[in-house]
Each structure stands twice: as C-alpha cells, then as structure tokens.
Amino acid sequence: MAQLENIEAIENRLWGSADNLRANSNYASNEYFMPVMGLIFLRHAYSRYLAVKPKIEASLPSRGGVTRPLTKEDFSSKGAIFLRDEAQFEFLVNLTEADDRAQAIINAMEAIEADYETLHGILPKSEYQELDNDVLGNLIRTFNDPALKKATGDIFGRIYEYFLTQFANQSAHDGGEFFTPVSLVQLIVNIIEPDHGNVIDPACGSGGMFVQSAHFIESMHKNPQDLVTFYGAEKNPTTIRLAKMNLAVHGLEGRINKAISYYEDPHDFIGKADFVMANPPFNVDDVDAEKIKNDPRLPFGLPGVNKKGSVSNGNYLWMSYFYSYLNENGRAGFVMSSQASSSGGGETEVRRKMVETGHVDAMVSIRSNFFYTRSVPCELWFFNKAKPAKHNDKVLMLDARHVYRKVTRKIYDFSPEQLANLTAIVWLYRGETDRYVGLVEQHLSHALEEAATSKVAMDTFVDQAQDLLNKLPQVDADTSSAFDVLRQDIASFGSDIDAKSTAWQQANKDNSGLLAFANGLEPIAETSRDLIKQIDQLYKFAEKRAKESGEKGLNKLIKGLDEHRKKTVEQLKLIRYFYKQAHWLQERFPDADLKDVAGLVRLVDREEIAANDWSLAPGRYVGVAAEVEDEDFDFEETLRDIHIELKGLNEEADQLAAQIQKNFEELGV
C-alpha cells in the first residue's frame, strides 16, 4: 500500500482545489462534492484503462493483418471500463484555455453513459457549467497528480471517505457513516470468501465491500460478473451515485437501491443471501421501535426500547438483519462497535439467542487507528449457517489488536502478509491444513527469492564503495578492515544462499519439511540483519573519510553510495521479514493444527460464553501474551515515525491557525 504513505498530502491538495470552488462558484459546500468526485472518477477510470489496455491489445484476434477494435466487454472482464477518446483524462489535461472545459467534461461523461446503461443519469454533467474555465483547468491538473496515476485498490472510496469527513460540518452526510478501511474489508472477504451467488451490503456506502469481493474473485483468475450479483442499500442519493461510479470504474455492476435499511428491505432478501458484508453506522439510538416491532428481519426480537420509544442502540438491529438475510448456507462478515460484543440489557438477550443458533462463527478484535476518520477500536463479526457440527457450540476468538502496520501517524493497517497470516488461523480452524502449509511455503520461498536478489545489490554496493575509496588519497585501517570484512562476509553469505536454494529444491514441502527447512534458514535471516549493520558502518566510515580528505568531486559518489546503501538495506530487510512471517505461524502452530495461543486465539465453547454474560469480546477469552523483547527494534525507523508524527502535528497546527484567522476575519475582528 505504498500509495497510502502520501495519501494525506494528496488529499490535502485535492481538498484545497475543491474548496477553491466555494469562492469561485455559486455552489454550497455540499453541492461541489459531485463535480469533484466526477473528476476523480474520470482520473481513476483512465488509470485502470491504461493498466489493462496493453494486455487486452496483445490478446486481440486479427484477420488479414487487421486487429479488431477494442470493446467494452474486453475491459469489463479485466476489471476496468472502456473509454472513448473524448472520455480519457489525458484528453482533458491537454485542453487549452481557449477550449470549453465544462463541455468537454460533459461530453466525456455522456460518452461513458452511452456505453454503460447502469450509469445513465448517474455521472455529474450539468454541474460543470457553473464553473469557470480556469477553475476547471486547475482542478484537472490537480487530479492529474502522478501519485493518483499510480494508485491501486479502492483509492476512489478512500478519497470519497476523506471528502465525506470534510463535508460533515455542513451536514451533507451523517457523522456516523465512514469509509471501511481496505484492510478490514480484505480480512472480511478472506474469511467469508464471497465467490458465488448473491452478495448483499445493506449499508453499502461507496461500494468498497463489492470492490474487494471482486478483487478476491479476480485473484482466482475468474470474472466476478460471471459468479456473483451485488445488491446494495443506501439512504443517501449522492452516495448511491458514488457507489455506482465506484463499481463502474472497476468494471462492475450492482443493484443498489435507495432505502433506510432500518425500515426497508428493498431487495426482499430474507433467506436469500449467500453472503452479507457491511460496515453499518455504529450506536444509532433514534430508530422508531413502533415501526419495526413486527419486522420479520428481527428473529431475536428488539434489543431494548428507551423512554422516547426508540431502540436504545441500533447495533443489534443491524446484526439481526444480516442474520435474517442469509440462506441456509450463507456467511456474513461485518464491522461492529467494540462495545457491542459485551453490551448489557436487552442486547445481552439478543446476543444469547444469536450464540445459541450455533451460527456465530468467529470474532476478531481490531485495535484503534484503523479507521481514517475515527480512532476507535472495533470488532469483526462472522456468521456461518453452514458451520460443521463439531463447531456448532464453539466460537473462534481472535484478538488481532497486536497485529498491525503503522502507515502514517494516524493510519494503521495490515500488511499483505499479516492479513494472510490472520486468515491462515481461520483456515486451521476450518481444517484447511493444505492452505496453511502453502502459505508457510510461500513465505519461505519469498525469503529465499529476496536473499538471491540481495546478492546483486550487495555486490553493487561494494563496487561503489571501492570506487569511492579509490578516490581517497589515504584510507585508514578501520575503514579498510570494515571493507575487507564486509566483502568476505558477503561472499560467504552468497555461498550460503546458493546452498540453501539448492536444498529448497529438494526439501519436502509438507509441514515437517518446512519446519526443518525454516530452522536451517534462520542463520541466513540473522546474517542479513548483521550485514545491514556492517553496510551502514562502512558507509559512515567512507563518508567521513571522504569529507575529511578535502578532495573535490566526491559529493556525487557519496550521494550515489548512500542511495544504493538504502536500497541494499531495504532489500536485506525483506529476507528477515518474510522469514519472520513464516516463523510467526510456525512458532504458534508447529503441528499445523489450531491451538490456543495466549493473547491471540482460542476456540471457546458455549458454556464458557454463557458464564461470561454471553460476551463475545475476544480479549476476555484469549488472555494476555507474555511480553517479548523486540529483537527487531529499528532506531532509524523509530526516528522516522517520530518525524512523521511531528510533521503531522505541525501541519495540523498550521491548519488550525489558518482557520482561526479566517474565523476572526469573517467576524470582522
């Protein structure tokens, strides 16, 4: 998720340009949302178009030397949409001041709607006529940001969430609604595996659940449009337009209806869903109990009514709805407030009934800072109406609060490998040992591949270091010794890698074979860490001696050596990283069977859950892991994190100061 590292800066630029519309148009804050999102849609659609176009063209049939033209069907099968020339973002970027940009954007939108019936009347068009030509030019250039060109995944939904937050003060959207972090959606998808039938999200927002489900199916080299049908409900008309745009930009279609899901079931879906996925608004307390008291989607009854005649908390309404939608083999995965798993009163009774069905499959605790707009922790709930009999009275409790990657000061997520390892625990729970073993094999294979790649990087670093040292009039004993020792250790390390690569080809890839191989790979992983220290030390020696020498023309060599040092160090880190991912699994599950791991996972029976007031909070059951000293503590990385935090605080301070000044000016102070 490299694009996330700069996402805050990108969002600030986008918002700055969008907010400029307020001063240069007649639009209110909640009105210029759509024209801005329309341009983001065109930008992202064009990026996906360019990403798949070469592969499509290479596979096109030809007759008599003539290749048939591209069609929209070609792009739909690749998770993108076809764009006529006038709908391609590059066309808009190249417009001059003499061109009518508003009309050009309208033409682009109309061209897309002409090819995609589901988008008729959805894309913004007339809104652009209210904007000055130069304002549109600035917006187009802003959204041509190189970082957005390279963005992957549901970046459209991510930026949508950011804009929702910014518009919240104008009450354009409910404060309780916010975009679901991609990591959490991916984990839900990995666990319920929505690969067929009807997939429903009754609080679909911008459609991120559907997008990640499609990516899951695409990873199996299948076309999601052939296997699943997406159904969504959303109460906000603007958000529905955004969801349809988000689906379209990924080459998908969905049946998304306007509805308030507390009171309506627009798809008449009771008992018909193969999969339910959702991130509903948390802790809503104004649902009219009288309107829903006889709703057939509430098989467990109302969770509690307050003096105003409203349901005290809507969390268990959502969960009841999700459960009722599932067919006899259906699975559900959804995000829920961490308070819900242990809440009292009438909610305890509903929770008891849920557990007693035997269909509560798993609970996963997530730490704070995963949501971009909220710092609250949450939990993922999973229902499975086709649980095997042996698990009927048990619930898998997984506490993932200590598993995370820090992306920025405010944003945490799961790395792809962390995500895979958490999923592997669920595989063991389901008895899918082969998938677990396959993942361990993949981690070890990646460690070896990165080790082989590191040999070239290290040799290049040594050659560049030699070039620099050769330019010095004199090299001291410490530097010479460090250079010679490093060169020898690299040669020895390379030999060890070659030997291990040969052994890998002959190793048994069953669980015991992988355990044995991992033990033999550990010295290479440890040596890679030692080599990083040696490389850093040699660079510091060489840099210091070069600067002390007073020789001219060495700055370029020093800079080049430093740049390659960083690349080499990052490459070496990958060896230990992938080894540690395999070790993380093997240390906890050495027999490739699910077992209790303190602080992480435990399979809990219904009797114990009942004894704990029917609480489904994983932390109550898994215990606390023994504190382990962090062997991989990285001082430079810690300093980088501190720098990121300080930079973020300074930016916030500047923004607040500017806002205060603006408020004073508006008050005439």
Side-chain angles (χ1 to χ4, degrees):
M1 284 192 163
Q3 74 269 18
L4 282 181
E5 295 176 4
N6 299 312
I7 192 68
E8 288 179 317
I10 294 170
E11 288 166 340
N12 286 336
R13 286 199 297 274
L14 297 185
W15 177 253
S17 294
D19 198 39
N20 187 43
L21 294 183
R22 183 168 52 172
N24 293 280
S25 74
N26 296 321
Y27 284 139
S29 297
N30 61 338
E31 292 175 326
Y32 60 76
F33 179 79
M34 277 310 296
V36 169
M37 291 307 294
L39 287 177
I40 296 173
F41 166 78
L42 289 176
R43 170 67 265 177
H44 195 34
Y46 185 55
S47 297
R48 295 184 67 82
Y49 172 87
L50 292 179
V52 303
K53 184 182 177 185
K55 296 179 183 178
I56 293 173
E57 290 178 327
S59 63
L60 288 177
S62 61
R63 290 184 179 180
V66 178
T67 303
R68 74 161 173 80
L70 295 167
T71 67
K72 68 175 186 177
E73 288 75 20
D74 295 325
F75 287 85
S76 294
S77 64
K78 298 293 184 182
I81 61 174
F82 171 70
L83 297 173
R84 302 182 193 184
D85 291 345
E86 65 268 31
Q88 296 179 19
F89 203 79
E90 197 68 26
F91 177 83
L92 301 178
V93 172
N94 292 328
L95 293 174
T96 68
E97 294 300 321
D99 294 312
D100 187 340
R101 292 191 176 99
Q103 189 58 51
I105 295 171
I106 292 170
N107 293 342
M109 298 299 188
E110 288 178 343
I112 294 173
E113 289 189 351
D115 287 323
Y116 294 91
E117 184 178 350
T118 56
L119 288 177
H120 284 181
I122 296 298
L123 302 181
K125 294 183 286 293
S126 61
E127 293 93 331
Y128 296 103
Q129 293 175 329
E130 297 291 325
L131 303 176
D132 291 341
N133 212 40
D134 57 341
V135 172
L136 279 175
N138 289 332
L139 274 176
I140 290 169
R141 286 187 287 272
T142 298
F143 296 136
N144 202 41
D145 190 296
L148 281 180
K149 291 181 182 180
K150 300 175 183 177
T152 58
D154 191 20
I155 198 73
F156 180 75
R158 171 59 195 273
I159 294 172
Y160 153 78
E161 172 224 10
Y162 176 78
F163 275 77
L164 276 186
T165 306
Q166 296 299 320
F167 288 124
N169 289 337
Q170 286 79 31
S171 300
H173 297 274
D174 290 341
E177 299 175 1
F178 44 99
F179 177 77
T180 316
V182 173
S183 276
L184 300 191
V185 183
Q186 288 175 329
L187 185 55
I188 289 173
V189 168
N190 286 0
I191 292 177
I192 70 172
E193 300 185 331
D195 59 359
H196 68 275
N198 299 320
V199 179
I200 184 169
D201 182 349
C204 68
S206 65
M209 296 284 182
F210 301 143
V211 170
Q212 292 303 325
S213 297
H215 290 336
F216 174 75
I217 295 171
E218 289 166 356
S219 71
M220 300 185 293
H221 307 290
K222 296 179 180 179
N223 185 356
Q225 292 292 83
D226 296 336
L227 298 177
V228 298
T229 304
F230 297 122
Y231 294 86
E234 172 59 45
K235 69 177 182 179
N236 189 295
T238 299
T239 308
I240 291 174
R241 293 174 69 185
L242 291 166
K244 290 185 176 181
M245 289 161 63
N246 196 16
L247 287 174
V249 86
H250 292 91
L252 304 171
E253 294 182 6
R255 303 176 187 179
I256 301 174
N257 289 23
K258 182 180 183 300
I260 299 177
S261 292
Y262 292 116
Y263 308 118
E264 303 169 85
D265 177 13
H267 301 294
D268 190 22
F269 237 83
I270 294 178
K272 298 178 183 177
D274 294 281
F275 302 95
V276 174
M277 308 168 65
N279 174 29
F282 297 166
N283 305 321
V284 174
D285 61 1
D286 58 356
V287 180
D288 190 329
E290 186 65 26
K291 289 184 179 180
I292 64 171
K293 64 181 181 180
N294 297 317
D295 195 317
R297 297 176 300 161
L298 297 174
F300 311 114
L302 290 174
V305 180
N306 60 27
K307 294 179 180 179
K308 297 185 297 181
S310 299
V311 174
S312 304
N313 191 306
N315 292 340
Y316 277 82
L317 295 180
W318 285 111
M319 289 190 271
S320 296
Y321 297 159
F322 302 156
Y323 180 87
S324 70
Y325 290 147
L326 295 176
N327 62 27
E328 60 184 8
N329 294 309
R331 290 179 178 178
F334 51 92
V335 188
M336 187 49 63
S337 165
S338 58
Q339 303 168 12
S341 58
S342 297
S343 55
E347 295 181 354
T348 302
E349 183 65 12
V350 173
R351 191 167 59 248
R352 175 186 68 80
K353 293 176 181 178
M354 285 181 176
V355 174
E356 288 181 339
T357 65
H359 298 149
V360 178
D361 195 26
M363 298 289 299
V364 183
S365 288
I366 306 294
R367 62 154 295 145
S368 57
N369 291 98
F370 266 69
F371 286 101
Y372 179 63
T373 55
R374 303 289 180 91
S375 62
V376 296
C378 68
E379 278 161 355
L380 307 183
W381 290 56
F382 296 93
F383 295 154
N384 183 359
K385 288 193 175 180
K387 277 173 66 175
K390 66 178 181 178
H391 290 156
N392 189 56
D393 66 343
K394 301 180 186 299
V395 177
L396 181 71
M397 299 290 182
L398 179 55
D399 192 340
R401 288 177 296 178
H402 300 292
V403 180
Y404 62 91
R405 174 179 64 175
K406 190 172 184 178
V407 180
T408 71
R409 183 175 67 89
K410 292 182 178 179
I411 307 171
Y412 293 2
D413 72 355
F414 295 129
S415 72
E417 293 72 32
Q418 290 172 332
L419 196 63
N421 285 356
L422 291 173
T423 305
I425 296 174
V426 179
W427 292 341
L428 292 179
Y429 162 62
R430 292 176 178 161
E432 297 173 338
T433 306
D434 289 347
R435 298 176 79 178
Y436 166 87
V437 172
L439 178 60
V440 173
E441 179 184 349
Q442 179 179 306
H443 288 327
L444 295 175
S445 178
H446 281 167
L448 272 178
E449 290 169 4
E450 301 300 346
T453 302
S454 72
K455 293 196 300 180
V456 176
M458 289 187 293
D459 289 342
T460 303
F461 174 81
V462 168
D463 291 342
Q464 291 189 2
Q466 182 72 76
D467 290 343
L468 176 59
L469 296 179
N470 287 341
K471 295 289 193 301
L472 301 181
Q474 184 177 353
V475 180
D476 65 292
D478 287 343
T479 304
S480 294
S481 175
F483 180 79
D484 291 339
V485 170
L486 175 62
R487 186 164 51 183
Q488 293 169 11
D489 287 349
I490 287 175
S492 177
F493 186 62
S495 297
D496 291 343
I497 292 171
D498 291 339
K500 214 63 191 166
S501 296
T502 300
W504 178 247
Q505 302 303 319
Q506 303 168 353
N508 290 326
K509 302 304 192 298
D510 57 10
N511 188 57
S512 59
L514 293 174
L515 279 167
F517 185 84
N519 287 333
L521 187 63
E522 184 177 9
I524 287 180
E526 296 302 319
T527 300
S528 68
R529 184 173 59 178
D530 296 337
L531 285 170
I532 289 172
K533 295 177 182 177
Q534 290 178 252
I535 288 170
D536 286 341
Q537 182 186 52
L538 176 61
Y539 170 74
K540 290 174 182 176
F541 280 162
E543 179 193 35
K544 183 178 180 181
R545 301 298 175 253
K547 290 182 176 179
E548 289 175 346
S549 71
E551 293 288 318
K552 296 181 179 180
L554 296 182
N555 285 342
K556 186 175 181 181
L557 286 176
I558 294 172
K559 184 177 179 181
L561 183 62
D562 187 32
E563 289 176 353
H564 204 79
R565 174 192 68 84
K566 293 175 182 176
K567 292 179 182 177
T568 305
V569 165
E570 290 305 311
Q571 182 61 46
L572 285 167
K573 284 181 179 179
L574 291 174
I575 303 170
R576 184 171 171 81
Y577 173 76
F578 282 109
Y579 165 77
K580 294 290 282 186
Q581 297 304 315
H583 180 71
W584 190 89
L585 288 172
Q586 291 181 319
E587 182 181 44
R588 289 160 177 77
F589 312 103
D591 299 322
D593 289 323
L594 180 70
K595 71 182 189 69
D596 295 347
V597 178
L600 178 65
V601 65
R602 187 163 168 242
L603 192 58
V604 182
D605 61 40
R606 191 180 305 170
E607 184 178 346
E608 185 174 354
I609 294 173
N612 282 275
D613 297 322
W614 300 98
S615 171
L616 291 174
R620 181 172 290 197
Y621 301 99
V622 302
V624 180
E627 189 170 342
V628 179
E629 183 179 350
D630 185 5
E631 298 176 354
D632 297 322
F633 178 78
D634 190 326
F635 181 73
E636 290 186 3
E637 183 73 11
T638 302
L639 279 180
R640 186 185 74 85
D641 288 343
I642 293 172
H643 176 72
I644 288 173
E645 182 151 1
L646 180 61
K647 181 174 180 289
L649 289 170
N650 286 335
E651 288 174 352
E652 285 183 11
D654 291 342
Q655 291 171 5
L656 286 171
Q659 185 61 50
I660 291 170
Q661 180 64 32
K662 183 177 179 181
N663 292 343
F664 278 139
E665 290 173 356
E666 290 177 351
L667 291 170
V669 178

